[in-house]
Amino acid sequence: MTSQVKSAPFQKLGYRWRLANKRLVLPVLLIAMLAAPATRELTVSVLADAFWQVAAYVAITLALYHSLSERLSHQSAVTLRLKSSRRYQVVFASVMGALPGCGGAIIVITQFVRGQLSFGSVVAVLTATMGDAAFLLLAAKPATGLFIIMIGLVVGILSGWLVDTLHGGAFLQPQNAEATASCCRTTSSRNQAPAVRWQGTFWQWLLIPSAVIAVMGSFQLNTDALLHLPEGSITVLGAFFALIAMLLWSLSRDIQGYQDAVSEDPKSDKASLFQRVAQDTNFVTTWVIGAFLCFEVTIKLTGWDIAASLSHWSAALPLAGVLIGLIPGCGPQILITSFYLHGAIPMSAQLGNALSNDGDALFPAIALAPKAALIATVYSSLPALFVAYSYYYFFE
């Protein structure tokens, strides 16, 4: 009996190694591309860029974000005062949505379901949030990321106030105020996979060194020479670390449905800071690598200039960005942001996507208040269309 208990974690790990685990598809494909001489150089370059230019910055940003969140979460005086004014509720919701990641938006959704926030707050948070795509944009283009976040914050506040004026604060609130969002982001620590702990250990050791090397690379310093390493060592090392991060993400959970592929993994209620950082960082990194590979392999195989081709459809691109933003989950939105960073789509399309996308917050909204989620999503797409096409006509 004892041996059966001890072997349980290894049985679960073996289950995740099985070929039916769809998360292993991308790591296996990458290993095959690394083994093939024709695609090895391209794959190493994509993996290294994703790790040093994105993952390292996302990890350090998430570490700061989660550290601050833990300290601020204990101050409940602000949340108690929100009950007195719907206008403050909308401002609070927009600020929570403007925070990178999906945690703030999910908090607002659950508070709406419990009757603590107005429907306008839901529209505000869904308009303001960029989800995990904000981390990618802040890592690659900090000034642009902050600009879009501020636009989302302002548009979210104005949209929320307008909706509350039209419908009132109790509009579409579920009757069951005791409904909880246990389905959203938290799981029991007993279900925590060994790979989740390994992810935390991985980033605990690499967080500071990778951030230092990433900053050195951003300043165009020769990191190989400065660290007295053979030429190309940092590139190979980055590719290796990126592949390990993807493997750990693949082993942490199987794909049972759409949400498992496109959203952050649920966090254990006992998860450490580094485990939380690692789970979100590796999720973002995996989608970024997939997007980068799609872009680079398409160009290599076909010679297709995506940016030039899409320029003929420039008037439709803001609409496309808004429509893709309606797809639940952060994965598709990371894909759009990756295309923007490669110059394939214009700023107007990125703006439309940033304002219309709801990140992972749409999953608990659909589960707990489906009618409110649908109407709020439609409402958030209207200012997204207005802002995207305003930017298109005035600046592009």
Side-chain angles (χ1 to χ4, degrees):
M1 181 67 179
T2 305
S3 61
Q4 291 178 351
V5 174
K6 289 183 178 179
S7 64
F10 296 100
Q11 291 175 355
K12 290 181 181 179
L13 183 59
Y15 176 80
R16 290 182 176 87
W17 269 111
R18 66 189 177 89
L19 293 178
N21 183 356
K22 301 176 185 66
R23 282 193 174 188
L24 283 172
V25 170
L26 189 53
V28 169
L29 175 62
L30 284 169
I31 292 172
M33 294 179 68
L34 288 169
T39 55
R40 183 179 302 144
E41 183 178 354
L42 171 65
T43 307
V44 169
S45 176
V46 167
L47 288 171
D49 288 348
F51 188 82
W52 296 124
Q53 297 178 17
V54 177
Y57 284 109
V58 169
I60 196 70
T61 303
L62 276 167
L64 295 172
Y65 170 74
H66 284 301
S67 298
L68 290 173
S69 296
E70 289 177 359
R71 287 166 172 77
L72 293 175
S73 62
H74 301 293
Q75 299 180 8
S76 58
V78 175
T79 58
L80 292 175
R81 294 182 62 184
L82 289 173
K83 296 180 180 180
S84 62
S85 172
R86 289 202 303 267
R87 296 180 70 83
Y88 289 142
Q89 290 176 11
V90 169
V91 174
F92 167 77
S94 295
V95 171
M96 295 297 286
L99 296 174
C102 300
I106 291 172
I107 289 173
V108 171
I109 295 297
T110 56
Q111 292 303 308
F112 165 74
V113 171
R114 292 170 181 152
Q116 303 299 314
L117 295 177
S118 67
F119 178 71
S121 299
V122 176
V123 174
V125 76
L126 295 184
T127 304
T129 188
M130 271 192 71
D132 290 335
F135 289 118
L136 172 57
L137 197 56
L138 288 170
K141 292 186 175 182
T144 302
L146 289 173
F147 170 70
I148 291 180
I149 286 172
M150 291 306 299
I151 288 180
L153 175 63
V154 173
V155 174
I157 291 173
L158 296 177
S159 301
W161 283 346
L162 178 59
V163 168
D164 274 348
T165 300
L166 293 174
H167 295 295
F171 183 65
L172 292 179
Q173 279 187 342
Q175 296 301 313
N176 182 12
E178 298 299 321
T180 61
S182 59
C183 62
C184 300
R185 310 312 309 156
T186 305
T187 60
S188 170
S189 59
R190 295 178 182 177
N191 297 328
Q192 193 173 5
V196 174
R197 296 192 294 271
W198 297 343
Q199 287 186 76
T201 303
F202 175 83
W203 278 109
Q204 183 176 1
W205 286 98
L206 281 182
L207 183 66
I208 301 302
S210 64
V212 171
I213 293 175
V215 171
M216 292 169 64
S218 297
F219 282 99
Q220 305 299 314
L221 300 177
N222 189 333
T223 50
D224 291 322
L226 290 172
L227 299 175
H228 305 289
L229 297 173
E231 188 68 26
S233 297
I234 292 297
T235 299
V236 173
L237 201 59
F240 174 74
F241 288 151
L243 190 59
I244 294 298
M246 289 185 61
L247 281 171
L248 291 175
W249 177 79
S250 300
L251 294 174
S252 63
R253 196 183 186 199
D254 198 357
I255 293 181
Q256 303 295 333
Y258 172 76
Q259 183 176 352
D260 297 333
V262 302
S263 62
E264 303 167 355
D265 288 342
K267 310 298 188 302
S268 167
D269 52 2
K270 299 296 184 182
S272 68
L273 169 66
F274 288 105
Q275 287 170 356
R276 294 174 181 273
V277 168
Q279 285 182 273
D280 292 349
T281 299
N282 292 348
F283 163 72
V284 173
T285 303
T286 299
W287 271 91
V288 166
I289 290 171
F292 283 11
L293 270 181
C294 289
F295 191 88
E296 297 294 345
V297 170
T298 299
I299 292 176
K300 182 178 178 63
L301 294 180
T302 66
W304 179 29
D305 189 339
I306 298 178
S309 299
L310 291 179
S311 64
H312 299 296
W313 301 88
S314 59
L317 291 179
L319 174 61
V322 171
L323 293 177
I324 293 174
L326 300 179
I327 301 174
C330 290
Q333 321 316 330
I334 292 174
L335 189 67
I336 290 297
T337 302
S338 299
F339 276 27
Y340 166 72
L341 294 175
H342 275 89
I345 61 174
M347 179 66 166
S348 57
Q350 175 62 60
L351 265 174
N353 180 263
L355 293 173
S356 70
N357 98 68
D358 305 329
D360 295 344
L362 199 56
F363 290 115
I366 292 172
L368 300 173
K371 184 177 180 180
L374 176 62
I375 296 177
T377 300
V378 172
Y379 278 2
S380 68
S381 67
L382 298 179
L385 284 169
F386 175 78
V387 172
Y389 276 103
S390 295
Y391 190 92
Y392 171 77
Y393 283 115
F394 287 108
F395 300 104
E396 294 179 349

